[in-house]
Amino acid sequence: MTAGSANLKILVTGANGQLGAELVHLSADGYTIQGYGRDALDITDLGQCRQVMAQFSPDAVIHCAAYTAVDKAESERDEAFRVNAAGTRNLAIVSREVGAKLCYISTDYVFDGTSEIPYNEIDRTNPQTVYGKSKLAGEQAVTSLHDRYFIVRTSWVYGKYGQNFVKTMLKLGREKDELKVVHDQIGSPTYTLDLALFLLELVRTECYGIYHASNTGVCSWYEFAVAIFEESGIAIKLEPCATSDFPRPAPRPAFSVMDHSSIRVNGLTDLRPWREALNHYLEDDQ
Ligand SMILES: NC(=O)c1ccc[n+]([C@@H]2O[C@H](COP(=O)([O-])OP(=O)(O)OC[C@H]3O[C@@H](n4cnc5c(N)ncnc54)[C@H](OP(=O)(O)O)[C@@H]3O)[C@@H](O)[C@H]2O)c1
């Protein structure tokens, strides 16, 4: 099925994750969205991928399943690659076999975070973590095994389903009087609802290629936390701190701001500013 208003059958992998669950709970005219959690579709099982795809026969696959434990990946390299690289390869093979477009969700972690200007879709990748390398290997599987693909790199994802930074802040805000939050990592938060709506618009098109999609505007985690507490009326003393105050197994990119050039060039609808999205989430989803 191509562009136009015809009904589009979409298969969502990782349907119990933050983004996957958002997609399967959307009721959007013109789309039949069927989600599969790991129990129904383990993407590392090529045979199961073939069976499920043959059964549902989607027009497009939105591939949200991933190994996302960034720190754990440093000591579980094979598992991260098994899911993010080999699993994505399986979906690329089978999507092509059944004639479905493939939309692979990727990450700002494919960049090294040393830039001082927003990363463009064509900028050189240079992942610094096992997670980032495994997601880039997934991108490479998609580009080499499929031709009708979208790779959508996103960042700092939060929403109604699953655990995320906003929920953690709200919980800590209820438990503590003061909190330190890192101020030297800059990026763009992404509300799953906005990303999901963008993905539905995207997969209807033939504008294949690599996209950067996050809510627009930039902030540090500290500034994001300030906004979360201001908008939800929680009084707490926040102190900015450095990444080095909280050493983690996987290094975090200092700068993960991404330019949305592909969205503009292809005349698609960019996501709204991050603070507007945060307000919507806090009003509607809490
Ligand atoms: N979260 C972020 O801040 C962020 C930032 C940039 C990019 N992304 C990308 O955005 C996409 C969606 O992220 P998310 O936040 O929704 O992740 P998530 O909440 O961690 O969900 C990922 C889902 O994938 C499932 N999964 C893991 N291994 C699987 C397998 N072998 N077969 C099938 N399903 C499997 C997980 O199931 P289990 O629960 O059973 O493990 C989980 O439900 C991912 O591609 C991620 O790399 C996320």
Side-chain angles (χ1 to χ4, degrees):
M1 200 152 306
T2 56
S5 57
N7 188 62
L8 206 67
K9 279 173 77 177
I10 297 181
L11 185 151
V12 174
T13 68
N16 299 323
Q18 287 197 88
L19 180 61
E22 185 75 74
L23 278 158
V24 299
H25 284 94
L26 276 181
S27 54
D29 283 347
Y31 297 89
T32 301
I33 302 172
Q34 181 78 50
Y36 295 83
R38 189 206 288 253
D39 48 339
L41 173 56
D42 181 339
I43 62 166
T44 63
D45 182 341
L46 179 60
Q48 193 178 30
C49 290
R50 281 212 167 93
Q51 190 201 340
V52 167
M53 296 274 261
Q55 216 166 30
F56 183 59
S57 188
D59 300 304
V61 174
I62 302 185
H63 173 26
C64 305
Y67 180 106
T68 56
V70 173
D71 287 322
K72 219 163 136 202
E74 294 299 308
S75 53
E76 288 191 351
R77 188 187 175 89
D78 285 1
E79 186 56 15
F81 273 79
R82 204 168 71 85
V83 177
N84 294 343
T88 300
R89 176 207 58 208
N90 292 344
L91 283 165
I93 292 171
V94 180
S95 301
R96 186 159 180 168
E97 282 173 0
V98 302
K101 299 173 183 177
L102 177 60
C103 178
Y104 170 59
I105 312 303
S106 190
T107 169
D108 54 321
Y109 277 61
V110 299
F111 297 115
D112 59 20
T114 59
S115 179
E116 288 175 356
I117 54 166
Y119 287 100
N120 188 272
E121 288 84 349
I122 57 159
D123 281 346
R124 192 176 66 93
T125 51
N126 185 25
Q128 299 296 298
T129 59
V130 168
Y131 167 71
K133 288 174 186 165
S134 68
K135 291 294 292 183
L136 181 61
E139 289 193 9
Q140 288 160 351
V142 169
T143 57
S144 58
L145 294 167
H146 209 306
D147 48 0
R148 295 161 68 232
Y149 66 80
F150 310 95
I151 290 171
V152 180
R153 298 182 185 137
T154 189
S155 59
W156 297 22
V157 175
Y158 71 93
K160 189 173 188 171
Y161 307 98
Q163 268 316 309
N164 56 59
F165 181 79
V166 183
K167 288 185 183 174
T168 303
M169 286 299 113
L170 292 173
K171 181 170 179 289
L172 290 173
R174 285 188 288 267
E175 295 168 358
K176 292 178 179 284
D177 300 323
E178 48 188 286
L179 205 57
K180 281 185 178 174
V181 184
V182 292
H183 195 30
D184 55 358
Q185 290 172 36
I186 309 293
S188 307
T190 305
Y191 179 26
T192 49
L193 175 63
D194 293 356
L195 181 58
L197 292 171
F198 168 72
L199 295 173
L200 292 190
E201 180 188 4
L202 180 65
V203 296
R204 196 172 271 290
T205 75
E206 305 281 333
C207 302
Y208 302 113
I210 302 180
Y211 287 80
H212 289 172
S214 57
N215 282 114
T216 47
V218 304
C219 59
S220 69
W221 287 111
Y222 167 77
E223 289 164 336
F224 192 25
V226 168
I228 292 165
F229 292 124
E230 276 179 9
E231 300 298 345
S232 51
I234 296 174
I236 183 166
K237 186 166 172 274
L238 277 184
E239 199 185 317
C241 69
T243 304
S244 54
D245 293 340
F246 289 104
R248 320 256 307 246
R252 298 306 197 259
F255 183 88
S256 43
V257 182
M258 298 187 291
D259 181 33
H260 297 185
S261 162
S262 292
I263 291 183
R264 291 192 304 276
V265 166
N266 290 294
L268 296 162
T269 316
D270 209 341
L271 283 68
R272 63 186 146 178
W274 67 263
R275 191 148 179 153
E276 246 178 71
L278 174 66
N279 276 342
H280 182 133
Y281 168 71
L282 291 171
E283 278 167 19
D284 286 19
D285 280 352
Q286 285 301 293

